[in-house]
Amino acid sequence: MKIRFYLDTKTTLKSGEHPLRLYIYISAKDRKYPFTQYSSLVKDWDFKKEMPKKSHPLYIAISDFLLEKDRKILNLLNSRDKRTAPEVENIILGKEISDSVYDFWSVRIKELEIHRENTSKTEIKTGGTATKYADNLKVFKSYKKSLKFSEIDYNFLHKFRLDKSDKCGDGGINVYIANLRAVYNQAVKRGIYKPETSVSPFHGIKTSCRNTKDKYLSLNEMKIIAVNPVDHNYYRYFMLCFYLGGIDFIDIASLKKKHIKDGRVKFIRFKGNTQEVIDNYIFDEAQEIIDYFDDPNSDFITPIHKYVYKPYRQKYIDGFRKIAEDLKIKTETFSKSPRYSFINIGGKELYLNRDIIKEITGHAQNDTHSIYEGKFPNHIKDKIHKEIIDSIKASKI
């Protein structure tokens, strides 16, 4: 067991200070790093003693706090009693282990916000997983004002599904329940809640979703889009995503001129924690759009960074759907449709090598063969890439 206080210099608060945290390590699967109410600037902290310097405005208060807690830490370390990390936190910081699902859910949102702030590869504020957690929390709060972990059972989940079924499809309900399950499982892992049975209340609650219209455009539909250009940025965004190799909307929003070198676009995908590298040739169709957006006073290749990302992305989705409808194309396109269209056309309609298409689009290939084979040469990737682009340029529809 390891317990100590430390100043977390990897996390910076809005005040510019770093939070004082408690390090609790019982095992690799049982550890916690809770925040205290105190913080400090680096210049006001003695890292050898893990104590504030006299220059700290709250020197006396923090010193008294740490001296009091050190006695509790010493007693715990000298004790032979087995404790979980949450129990240690409760003993030292005097925090009760709450059975409230919503309290812990809020803690998870804050953790995800900090994680995204520390690991994000883009300056574009997307909200990410933390925003999804926050949105789903609102859904459950509107359904039940308070909820304890002990109240989550199959009957509760079944009633929730029935209640939401008149306004939400099976897929959407599955997403809500999946988020609740993630919070529930985290609470169990951390020892915040100990179920009375080993059978998960979520077992068998998921419902198979009805097939919806594919969210990609077919080869014929993409031909119609390609040979009927529309003078609008939403159209240009869609086509740029496709022409650059089926990359995401967040990618073109985040791409900077520094990512373009020797006629290729090179970057690590800006999505989540992926480390997949994109290294694609910029063909004339994509270069024409990049040139259109070129702003000598901007580091970015498109103007998307000027807008609040999430609402602007929705405007783009709605706007492109309208463009498609005007061209007599019925579609449920969304922000990943250029990506899915690129993959579908290349793999299912042109019967091109799927492994190469995965590499062009930055899809992880973790199977044994891929690990030993390594990456495809650029000229091989570029040939497949060009075939997919040329396929939608066929004679006017």
Side-chain angles (χ1 to χ4, degrees), residues 156-373:
F156 168 80
L157 297 171
H158 183 64
K159 289 177 181 177
F160 173 80
R161 179 175 287 284
L162 287 177
D163 181 79
K164 294 297 176 185
S165 60
D166 64 332
K167 297 180 181 178
C168 187
D170 291 333
I173 298 173
N174 284 344
V175 170
Y176 297 143
I177 293 178
N179 200 167
L180 177 63
R181 182 179 60 208
V183 173
Y184 178 93
N185 289 341
Q186 272 291 318
V188 172
K189 286 180 181 179
R190 300 185 189 195
I192 292 172
Y193 174 65
K194 296 181 180 179
E196 294 181 0
T197 174
S198 59
V199 179
S200 170
F202 298 90
H203 180 71
I205 196 64
K206 184 177 180 181
T207 300
S208 297
C209 301
R210 297 184 298 272
N211 289 331
T212 58
K213 187 182 186 304
D214 293 323
K215 295 181 178 179
Y216 58 79
L217 296 175
S218 67
L219 176 56
N220 284 334
E221 288 172 331
M222 278 302 301
K223 285 181 179 180
I224 295 173
I225 296 291
V227 301
N228 292 284
V230 178
D231 185 16
H232 199 289
N233 282 355
Y234 297 155
Y235 176 89
R236 296 183 183 96
Y237 297 149
F238 187 94
M239 297 307 298
L240 184 59
C241 287
F242 185 90
Y243 287 144
L244 286 179
I247 66 175
D248 287 324
F249 185 70
I250 183 59
D251 292 332
I252 64 166
S254 305
L255 279 176
K256 293 184 175 181
K257 294 172 183 177
K258 67 179 182 181
H259 294 117
I260 296 176
K261 188 175 181 180
D262 299 328
R264 307 188 72 84
V265 58
K266 302 180 182 181
F267 64 97
I268 297 175
R269 287 185 65 196
F270 294 100
K271 182 181 182 298
N273 296 320
T274 180
Q275 293 299 312
E276 291 301 308
V277 176
I278 298 290
D279 182 359
N280 293 340
Y281 187 78
I282 302 174
F283 292 96
D284 291 343
E285 293 81 2
Q287 189 62 56
E288 182 179 346
I289 299 174
I290 292 173
D291 290 343
Y292 175 87
F293 285 128
D294 183 48
D295 179 357
N297 298 316
S298 175
D299 294 330
F300 292 86
I301 70 166
T302 70
I304 301 172
H305 66 282
K306 298 178 180 179
Y307 307 94
V308 179
Y309 178 77
K310 195 171 180 180
Y312 189 70
R313 182 185 62 183
Q314 189 58 51
K315 287 183 178 180
Y316 153 67
I317 293 169
D318 295 339
F320 186 80
R321 284 179 182 173
K322 180 64 170 58
I323 290 172
E325 288 173 6
D326 289 344
L327 293 173
K328 310 302 181 184
I329 296 174
K330 294 182 179 180
T331 178
E332 294 181 14
T333 53
F334 70 136
S335 63
K336 286 183 175 293
S337 290
R339 179 178 187 79
Y340 291 174
S341 300
F342 187 94
I343 294 169
N344 179 72
I345 290 171
K348 293 184 178 180
E349 300 203 52
L350 300 180
Y351 305 107
L352 300 174
N353 187 300
R354 291 193 178 189
D355 289 335
I356 297 176
I357 295 171
K358 284 182 179 180
E359 196 165 309
I360 294 171
T361 56
H363 265 154
Q365 299 185 69
N366 297 320
D367 58 286
T368 303
H369 287 296
S370 297
I371 292 172
Y372 285 111
E373 288 174 352

Side-chain angles (χ1 to χ4, degrees), residues 20-58:
L20 178 63
R21 302 178 73 170
L22 176 61
Y23 176 94
I24 306 171
Y25 184 93
I26 308 299
S27 68
K29 294 183 179 180
D30 187 16
R31 51 186 174 175
K32 290 200 73 176
Y33 315 101
F35 292 89
T36 69
Q37 70 268 41
Y38 296 111
S39 58
S40 176
L41 295 171
V42 170
K43 68 181 182 66
D44 294 323
W45 195 258
D46 187 332
F47 289 92
K48 289 184 178 180
K49 297 179 180 179
E50 286 296 358
M51 294 283 287
K53 295 179 180 179
K54 290 185 178 181
S55 59
H56 197 294
L58 297 177

